Amino acid sequence: MVSIKDVARRSGVAISTVSKVLNGYPGVSEKTKKKVKEAIEELHFVPNSIAAALSSKQAGRIALLMNLNTQTKAIDEIDMQYMAGAIQKAQEMKLDLITVFFSMLKGKSVAEIIRYFQAQSIEGIIVYGMSGNDRVLWELVERGVFKMVLVDVSYHAENVSCIGINHRQAQIDVARKTILENRSKKILYIAGKKNSYPGAERLRGIEELAEELSCKLFVRYGDFSELKARNLTFQYAKSRDVIVCGSDLMAIGAMRALIEMDIFRPVCGFDGLVLMGYAGKQMNTVQQNFAGISAAAVEELQYLLQGGEGREVILPHTIVRMKYLDIIA
Amino acid sequence: MVSIKDVARRSGVAISTVSKVLNGYPGVSEKTKKKVKEAIEELHFVPNSIAAALSSKQAGRIALLMNLNTQTKAIDEIDMQYMAGAIQKAQEMKLDLITVFFSMLKGKSVAEIIRYFQAQSIEGIIVYGMSGNDRVLWELVERGVFKMVLVDVSYHAENVSCIGINHRQAQIDVARKTILENRSKKILYIAGKKNSYPGAERLRGIEELAEELSCKLFVRYGDFSELKARNLTFQYAKSRDVIVCGSDLMAIGAMRALIEMDIFRPVCGFDGLVLMGYAGKQMNTVQQNFAGISAAAVEELQYLLQGGEGREVILPHTIVRMKYLDIIA
DNA sequence: CTGTTAGCGCGTTCAG
DNA sequence: CTGAACGCGCTAACAG
């Protein structure tokens, strides 16, 4: 393995000089800088990130902490997009990214978790899928030991940012479109989970909208479960004229129930899953760019690592109509 | 951060002794071992894996190299299962696992790729999704620089193992079941990609089976594409009495085409995707336990790292029938 | 059986 | 502007 030492020898300068060139520090003449760069090229030198992490404390090692959707097997899609987006972006930004699942931290205390990450020289963490119930994680956040970016959570502090779309507005947008298209008046809203921030925001959205359009609103919790949404639809759809769902998966469940009941009701979803194309009929939904969101989260974390202050970042969303033939093309 | 030095001081021994205890080396008396372990407990010491990796050359850092299915957006499911299985297992075995996508290596030469991994102190690599066309990767494999485990590829060498189910046999099993259930005689086989090892093996399987059962076999390549399978079905299904597909996604495409054509033909798939439940009708398919496969791959890699010789590992599969109501339960 | 010493590859003072 | 020297946390010979 060719090391910084070899580069130094080859270009006839000291190790520290090479290091400075590598990290873009000032205090190196253009000539020597050029010499060093040439040597790097010729020797095909690639700095060892492990050694860098050991020696300095800002070597850019971050963790992606994910709560996999184990309850419903069908939406690996979202998790996958998040992971892929973050991994890709981290690589671009030359950050070392390790992936950690909530399940691996289960039963550990905050102190243990902190040590776990410190032992890996992790300095920043992106958390996806955190709910209000995750006590230890919230404690971890509040301790402020690591720079953190929280996805789909509303909280920020000195070194903690949060990021995500405006769920309330998105719910309003997609539901308004669907309701106006169908001149609906009586809404069945199948909400997500009670303790979920996005779930609560979306619920607020539909409440505002129902108020604004003077629609009757009937709310039931589907807990983001396709099966529950299906059953709720069987139970309550007949006497309403539109079904608004807090997630695509629930929208699919609702749609399939409607098909089995052999009645028509417009349905709209939330997320933009490709799976929507398999629902049986077209639906409006909110398109979230998950890969883009996690990529943005990585950038935000980098911003924090470089001394930026925690803040709230709102990302854009779009309303789309999902068709089977589009998604398989 | 509490380091090995602190533990040494606390227990009144030398650093190296602590290291020996940590790594289970012989040559330490029971008494001192106990003292050291106590100190570790009291100090909540967690060894820094980064430092260990730098210092020794067998610190268990491995990479999961994946070719994401970008062509068809619908099967993040498989990729996700692979990733989750490997990440989980690696964590259990205390191996550092980094995830790398093929796309990140695009345009890089073998030498560059080797340096990239060496710079990260990677000593073993699991490759998932490699085809016969990936020149540089094959070169990487043949160089033998890293211990490697190849998923769904048939090649092994001194420090390269391969792992996967028996695709030929699995194709035979699922097709036989479907054909016997329906007394079919004329098979439309929608094959995968030409240059794919699993694709080729599955094709061999159906050929053998057709021979054995004296069935007429008509083969077309669907390239693992749902859309192509759909079109092939429109074109050729009418004059056959069973459609065997080399993947679930293609089976779904075929099934939906049949529904649109309003004719019935038994269809069977391959993979065991949850998505199968959304096809519209029930189908037989081969259930691959992807998470289990990648977990096994991690174990196999560990075996290689510890000096084991490369070999071929065959994992079991099962035949199942996918139902919508089962998958959403 | 235990302690001393020398690195791993790199970042970072601090003299020159 | 440059270079020698030290240390990050740990492993691995080598002495004692």
Side-chain angles (χ1 to χ4, degrees):
Chain A
M1 157 162 285
V2 32
S3 85
I4 195 172
K5 209 189 296 180
D6 303 309
V7 178
R9 201 179 308 131
R10 184 83 147 90
S11 48
V13 300
I15 294 179
S16 58
T17 309
V18 178
S19 175
K20 281 175 192 162
V21 174
L22 248 42
N23 299 293
Y25 285 129
V28 183
S29 70
E30 281 307 318
K31 293 172 222 161
T32 47
K33 194 182 291 183
K34 199 178 163 213
K35 264 197 303 184
V36 171
K37 287 196 169 168
E38 281 171 6
I40 290 178
E41 283 300 315
E42 291 164 23
L43 267 46
H44 299 296
F45 169 69
V46 179
N48 186 318
S49 59
I50 299 297
L54 222 207
S55 118
S56 102
K57 281 303 146 201
Q58 69 118 321
R61 281 182 52 89
I62 65 178
L64 177 62
L65 184 49
M66 302 210 22
N67 191 6
L68 289 193
N69 265 307
T70 47
Q71 30 166 345
T72 126
K73 298 177 280 185
I75 8 182
D76 301 317
E77 192 181 329
I78 298 181
D79 297 330
M80 188 68 215
Q81 297 299 321
Y82 268 113
M83 292 182 66
I87 292 173
Q88 192 105 357
K89 186 51 127 189
Q91 139 98 12
E92 278 172 26
M93 301 181 76
K94 310 218 173 289
L95 293 170
D96 275 6
L97 185 284
I98 69 165
T99 309
V100 179
F101 299 140
F102 275 34
S103 57
M104 300 171 174
L105 267 32
K106 200 158 205 168
K108 284 194 164 67
S109 70
V110 186
E112 284 171 323
I113 293 177
I114 291 177
R115 281 192 295 272
Y116 172 76
F117 284 121
Q118 284 180 338
Q120 307 230 36
S121 302
I122 296 293
E123 31 173 1
I125 305 175
I126 294 169
V127 187
Y128 157 65
M130 188 165 76
S131 89
N133 303 327
D134 299 310
R135 284 291 165 77
V136 281
L137 277 186
W138 274 108
E139 214 179 315
L140 181 67
V141 169
E142 281 159 2
R143 288 274 191 98
V145 183
F146 303 104
K147 306 286 185 180
M148 299 183 76
V149 175
L150 313 178
V151 178
D152 281 347
V153 166
S154 184
Y155 172 94
H156 63 117
E158 191 186 338
N159 38 29
V160 180
S161 283
C162 60
I163 197 167
I165 67 168
N166 184 333
H167 294 274
R168 190 184 53 76
Q169 188 59 51
Q171 183 65 85
I172 290 177
D173 292 348
V174 70
R176 170 179 280 131
K177 180 159 191 280
T178 307
I179 289 171
L180 293 186
E181 278 171 0
N182 296 277
R183 302 167 186 279
S184 315
K185 277 292 161 197
K186 290 187 291 186
I187 308 170
L188 167 58
Y189 184 72
I190 304 184
K193 287 205 171 186
K194 266 195 172 136
N195 230 316
S196 142
Y197 170 73
E201 281 294 293
R202 293 172 197 176
L203 177 54
R204 258 188 56 204
I206 195 72
E207 284 169 351
E208 284 183 30
L209 184 68
E211 174 83 28
E212 180 199 324
L213 301 178
S214 321
C215 287
K216 274 214 168 125
L217 177 63
F218 182 76
V219 176
R220 278 292 174 272
Y221 281 90
D223 296 333
F224 292 127
S225 148
E226 183 168 353
L227 183 57
K228 287 191 183 166
R230 171 187 167 86
N231 292 333
L232 288 172
T233 303
F234 278 129
Q235 209 174 339
Y236 300 112
K238 234 169 194 155
S239 49
R240 332 281 155 173
D241 57 8
V242 63
I243 304 177
V244 178
C245 296
S247 82
D248 276 354
L249 212 58
M250 294 196 294
I252 293 173
M255 182 57 92
R256 295 186 72 111
L258 288 171
I259 292 174
E260 284 183 39
M261 294 165 77
D262 201 26
I263 65 175
F264 171 77
R265 294 289 183 281
V267 176
C268 66
F270 201 115
D271 282 338
L273 296 192
V274 168
L275 190 59
M276 279 292 265
Y278 294 84
K281 295 231 163 119
Q282 291 184 27
M283 282 185 254
N284 292 322
T285 192
V286 174
Q287 176 108 55
Q288 292 200 66
N289 175 4
F290 299 109
I293 292 174
S294 64
V298 171
E299 284 182 333
E300 179 64 16
L301 187 50
Q302 171 75 313
Y303 164 79
L304 289 180
L305 290 175
Q306 291 176 347
E309 187 138 345
R311 58 188 172 181
E312 180 167 9
V313 181
I314 308 286
L315 265 24
H317 62 265
T318 53
I319 307 299
V320 297
R321 176 165 271 264
M322 283 286 189
K323 271 206 295 231
Y324 177 66
L325 285 180
D326 287 347
I327 64 163
I328 66 173
Chain B
M1 156 164 289
V2 34
S3 83
I4 194 173
K5 211 188 294 178
D6 302 312
V7 178
R9 201 179 308 130
R10 184 83 147 89
S11 48
V13 299
I15 294 180
S16 58
T17 308
V18 179
S19 176
K20 281 175 193 163
V21 174
L22 248 43
N23 299 292
Y25 286 132
V28 183
S29 71
E30 283 305 320
K31 292 172 223 161
T32 45
K33 197 183 287 183
K34 199 177 163 217
K35 264 196 306 186
V36 171
K37 287 195 170 169
E38 281 171 8
I40 290 177
E41 282 302 314
E42 291 164 22
L43 267 48
H44 299 296
F45 168 69
V46 179
N48 186 317
S49 59
I50 298 298
L54 181 59
S55 159
S56 100
K57 281 303 147 199
Q58 67 119 317
R61 284 184 50 91
I62 65 178
L64 177 62
L65 185 49
M66 304 210 18
N67 191 5
L68 289 193
N69 264 308
T70 46
Q71 31 167 344
T72 125
K73 297 178 278 185
I75 8 183
D76 300 317
E77 193 182 330
I78 298 181
D79 297 330
M80 189 67 215
Q81 297 300 321
Y82 268 112
M83 292 183 64
I87 291 173
Q88 193 106 357
K89 186 52 127 185
Q91 140 99 10
E92 278 171 25
M93 304 183 73
K94 310 219 174 286
L95 292 170
D96 275 8
L97 186 284
I98 69 166
T99 308
V100 181
F101 299 141
F102 276 35
S103 56
M104 300 170 175
L105 267 32
K106 201 159 202 167
K108 282 194 167 64
S109 70
V110 185
E112 284 170 324
I113 293 176
I114 291 177
R115 282 193 294 272
Y116 172 74
F117 284 120
Q118 284 181 339
Q120 308 231 34
S121 301
I122 295 294
E123 30 174 1
I125 307 175
I126 294 169
V127 187
Y128 157 65
M130 188 166 75
S131 88
N133 304 327
D134 299 311
R135 284 291 164 78
V136 281
L137 277 187
W138 274 109
E139 214 179 315
L140 181 68
V141 170
E142 281 159 2
R143 286 275 192 100
V145 183
F146 304 104
K147 306 284 185 183
M148 298 183 77
V149 174
L150 314 178
V151 177
D152 282 348
V153 166
S154 183
Y155 172 94
H156 63 117
E158 191 185 336
N159 38 29
V160 180
S161 283
C162 59
I163 197 168
I165 67 168
N166 184 334
H167 294 274
R168 192 183 52 75
Q169 188 61 50
Q171 182 65 85
I172 290 177
D173 293 348
V174 71
R176 171 180 281 130
K177 179 159 192 279
T178 307
I179 288 171
L180 294 185
E181 277 172 1
N182 296 277
R183 304 166 187 277
S184 314
K185 277 294 160 195
K186 289 187 290 185
I187 309 169
L188 167 59
Y189 184 73
I190 304 184
K193 286 205 174 186
K194 266 194 172 139
N195 232 315
S196 142
Y197 169 75
E201 280 294 293
R202 294 173 196 176
L203 178 53
R204 258 188 56 205
I206 196 69
E207 283 170 349
E208 284 182 31
L209 183 70
E211 175 82 26
E212 179 198 325
L213 301 179
S214 318
C215 287
K216 273 216 170 125
L217 177 64
F218 182 77
V219 176
R220 277 291 176 273
Y221 282 90
D223 297 335
F224 292 126
S225 150
E226 184 169 352
L227 183 57
K228 287 191 183 166
R230 172 188 166 86
N231 292 333
L232 289 172
T233 303
F234 279 130
Q235 208 173 342
Y236 300 112
K238 234 170 196 155
S239 47
R240 332 281 155 174
D241 56 9
V242 63
I243 304 178
V244 178
C245 296
S247 83
D248 276 354
L249 212 60
M250 294 195 295
I252 294 173
M255 182 58 91
R256 296 186 72 111
L258 288 170
I259 292 173
E260 284 184 40
M261 293 164 79
D262 201 26
I263 65 176
F264 171 76
R265 294 289 184 281
V267 175
C268 66
F270 201 117
D271 283 336
L273 297 191
V274 168
L275 190 60
M276 278 293 264
Y278 294 84
K281 296 231 162 119
Q282 290 183 27
M283 282 186 255
N284 292 322
T285 190
V286 173
Q287 178 108 54
Q288 293 199 67
N289 175 3
F290 298 110
I293 292 174
S294 63
V298 171
E299 285 183 331
E300 178 65 17
L301 188 50
Q302 172 75 311
Y303 163 80
L304 289 179
L305 289 174
Q306 290 176 348
E309 186 139 345
R311 60 189 172 181
E312 181 164 8
V313 181
I314 308 287
L315 266 23
H317 62 266
T318 53
I319 307 299
V320 297
R321 177 166 271 266
M322 283 286 190
K323 271 208 294 233
Y324 177 65
L325 285 180
D326 287 347
I327 64 164
I328 67 174

